[in-house]
Amino acid sequence: MLSRKVADKLYAFETPFYLYDLDLLRQTLQSAVSVADRYGYCLHYAIKANYDPRLLQIIREYGLGIDCASGNEVRCAIEAGFDPKKIVYAGVGKRDKELRYAIEQGIFAINCESIEELLLVDSFAAEAGKVVDVALRINPDIDPKTNACIDTGQADSKFGISYEEVQEKVELIKGLKNVAIKGMHLHIGSQIRELHVFEYLCNKVNAIVDYLVGLGFKLDFVDVGGGLGINYDFPENEPVPNFASVFSIINSYLNVGDREVHFEFGRAIVAQCGELITRVLFNKTTATGRKLVIVDSSMTELIRPALYGSYHNIENITSKSANRQRYTIVGTACESTDVFDENITLPETKRGDLLTIKSAGAYGMSMASRYNLHDLPAAVYSDEL
Ligand SMILES: Cc1ncc(COP(=O)(O)O)c(C=O)c1O
């Protein structure tokens, strides 16, 4: 963990800030790309995980494409130099101007999540005089065995189109003149740590591809989404996620002929290279005896614990005390859910100490807000230290 090695230098920076370990990012990308290349898989980075320009520049150097969830994400990716032909765009609620923009840019595929959306893309494409490549995002009805807040693949979820609806509307879909159904897409959820879930996912993809081909669609690619989880409990034990195991499972169980296979990883690429560095403002004890450490960041910098009940490992990187105590770490926001962790053991922690909230590179800065009119946190990179 970078912050531990450079703790003394970190005092100089105004807190809170995100600290990025660029070498770890490169190591992670090298691992992902080298194993993907072995199987000929195409990797996209789910840009929603983190839009930091320096991270994007490095991700681009490794040849990844981008997975987007909004028109502004498509714009951000293009402005960061990614080839539109390597950009996919999913999302249940794409606005008209976002669809028109994606069509104009000629991206690799718009992943349509409803029949109404597909019809709209067809009509916008006709207006633009184009035939647009799309993928059907299918709801596969799989339990990804993860936190329910980030589970996107079960039958009742808002994501994707049901098999039933595709079958019901098949003639309508096939009659569309300005969309070319080039692929099928699914994304079943995030922070998947039980790798056998990827085996179920392959079985579903095989069945969905057979089903769609049986309905008369000729598919060139399958996009199986992202979702690979990381080790939030002990990040030092697994700084680089196990891409080799996931790709080996996919290679063993996926049976889609010579179709291209695409992935859209977000968390697995950037989570471990980022930490949120925050300074202790105050200590106090509640009437019930809870020892609170109040830090200078909050859910406005890192919302995952408040939003999903997510765990991040926290360490005091500057205290030299041998005396360890139990603390609850709370933020500055005017919300009772603004708690980073409860009842954790740290060395004696005082005003001015620096804490690191680890594994915060994904869905940290990208979900930051200006609630309470807090300033957005800055970024500090390993090569500045
Ligand atoms: C469609 C889609 N693809 C990819 C991802 C990235 O997921 P992860 O960060 O778990 O890899 C997401 C995350 O929400 C998503 O919605």
Side-chain angles (χ1 to χ4, degrees):
M1 200 188 32
L2 182 66
S3 60
R4 222 193 275 149
K5 293 185 207 144
V6 293
D8 289 345
K9 294 188 182 163
L10 298 181
Y11 277 122
F13 294 90
E14 184 178 346
T15 50
F17 60 87
Y18 278 96
L19 174 65
Y20 294 113
D21 182 340
L22 302 183
D23 290 335
L24 179 57
L25 174 62
R26 288 191 183 93
Q27 244 177 286
T28 306
L29 287 161
Q30 182 57 42
S31 166
V33 167
S34 63
V35 199
D37 282 353
R38 212 180 290 158
Y39 302 112
Y41 295 155
C42 305
L43 295 185
H44 301 255
Y45 164 62
I47 196 170
K48 64 170 80 78
N50 196 319
Y51 311 108
D52 182 275
R54 288 212 57 200
L55 304 193
L56 291 181
Q57 183 197 337
I58 294 171
I59 291 167
R60 186 168 55 80
E61 284 163 16
Y62 280 79
L64 278 73
I66 293 284
D67 161 55
C68 300
S70 74
N72 281 346
E73 287 192 353
V74 176
R75 182 171 287 107
C76 172
I78 291 173
E79 286 174 2
F82 288 89
D83 179 355
K85 276 284 154 228
K86 286 185 165 184
I87 294 177
V88 292
Y89 175 17
V92 284
K94 304 179 187 78
R95 299 172 182 91
D96 292 14
K97 69 174 183 185
E98 296 178 304
L99 284 172
R100 287 185 200 279
Y101 175 70
I103 290 169
E104 186 186 296
Q105 296 302 316
I107 64 172
F108 178 74
I110 298 178
N111 297 342
C112 291
E113 304 215 17
S114 66
I115 303 297
E116 275 195 51
E117 181 191 338
L118 192 62
L119 299 183
L120 194 64
V121 172
D122 182 68
S123 76
F124 288 169
E127 278 170 34
K130 290 186 171 189
V131 176
V132 169
D133 291 344
V134 302
L136 297 178
R137 179 170 178 176
I138 303 292
N139 179 305
D141 191 17
I142 297 186
D143 179 356
K145 310 251 184 260
T146 185
N147 181 334
C149 302
I150 49 177
D151 161 348
T152 56
Q154 302 213 49
D156 195 39
S157 139
K158 71 176 179 177
F159 299 99
I161 313 175
S162 70
Y163 309 101
E164 291 78 8
E165 198 174 6
V166 174
Q167 176 146 35
E168 219 174 276
K169 311 269 173 61
V170 66
E171 291 313 320
L172 174 68
I173 300 171
K174 288 203 286 197
L176 299 175
K177 296 279 181 293
N178 294 86
V179 289
I181 313 278
K182 288 283 178 75
M184 67 79 61
H185 171 232
L186 51 75
H187 170 73
I188 61 171
S190 204
Q191 184 52 13
I192 299 168
R193 290 287 284 166
E194 295 189 30
L195 292 189
H196 59 88
V197 167
F198 289 100
E199 186 184 319
Y200 305 150
L201 174 126
C202 290
N203 295 337
K204 280 280 181 172
V205 173
N206 298 341
I208 295 169
V209 168
D210 284 350
Y211 180 74
L212 293 175
V213 169
L215 291 176
F217 296 107
K218 179 188 154 305
L219 306 175
D220 296 342
F221 71 90
V222 297
D223 178 344
V224 298
L228 176 61
I230 61 133
N231 191 338
Y232 282 100
D233 296 332
F234 304 104
E236 294 80 7
N237 294 353
E238 207 183 327
V240 177
N242 196 344
F243 294 104
S245 294
V246 177
F247 290 144
S248 156
I249 292 173
I250 302 278
N251 182 55
S252 303
Y253 292 93
L254 198 69
N255 188 6
V256 293
D258 57 3
R259 294 183 174 85
E260 280 180 8
V261 180
H262 293 242
F263 293 84
E264 307 165 340
F265 294 129
R267 188 186 313 271
I269 303 290
V270 292
Q272 296 293 33
C273 78
E275 304 168 57
L276 179 61
I277 308 297
T278 186
R279 204 176 299 250
V280 175
L281 291 174
F282 305 112
N283 288 70
K284 74 175 173 186
T285 305
T286 66
T288 56
R290 250 186 347 147
K291 282 176 178 293
L292 304 182
V293 168
I294 302 160
V295 294
D296 67 356
S297 58
S298 72
M299 62 195 285
T300 62
E301 285 79 22
L302 179 65
I303 199 175
R304 297 185 69 259
L307 186 64
Y308 306 138
S310 302
Y311 172 77
H312 286 262
N313 190 309
I314 299 175
E315 217 177 288
N316 184 326
I317 48 174
T318 53
S319 171
K320 306 272 188 289
S321 173
N323 171 17
R324 294 178 74 78
Q325 304 210 7
R326 290 208 156 259
Y327 298 104
T328 289
I329 314 297
V330 302
T332 56
C334 297
E335 296 294 330
S336 297
T337 55
D338 184 30
V339 175
F340 285 115
D341 203 0
E342 310 240 12
N343 217 10
I344 58 169
T345 305
L346 294 178
E348 192 174 1
T349 294
K350 297 208 167 101
R351 175 173 166 81
D353 286 352
L354 295 182
L355 305 191
T356 173
I357 305 180
K358 299 181 217 172
S359 315
Y363 308 108
M365 184 61 202
S366 60
M367 292 179 118
S369 77
R370 294 214 51 212
Y371 179 52
N372 291 162
L373 287 184
H374 286 174
D375 294 329
L376 288 172
V380 174
Y381 306 94
S382 47
D383 60 2
E384 294 173 28
L385 298 166

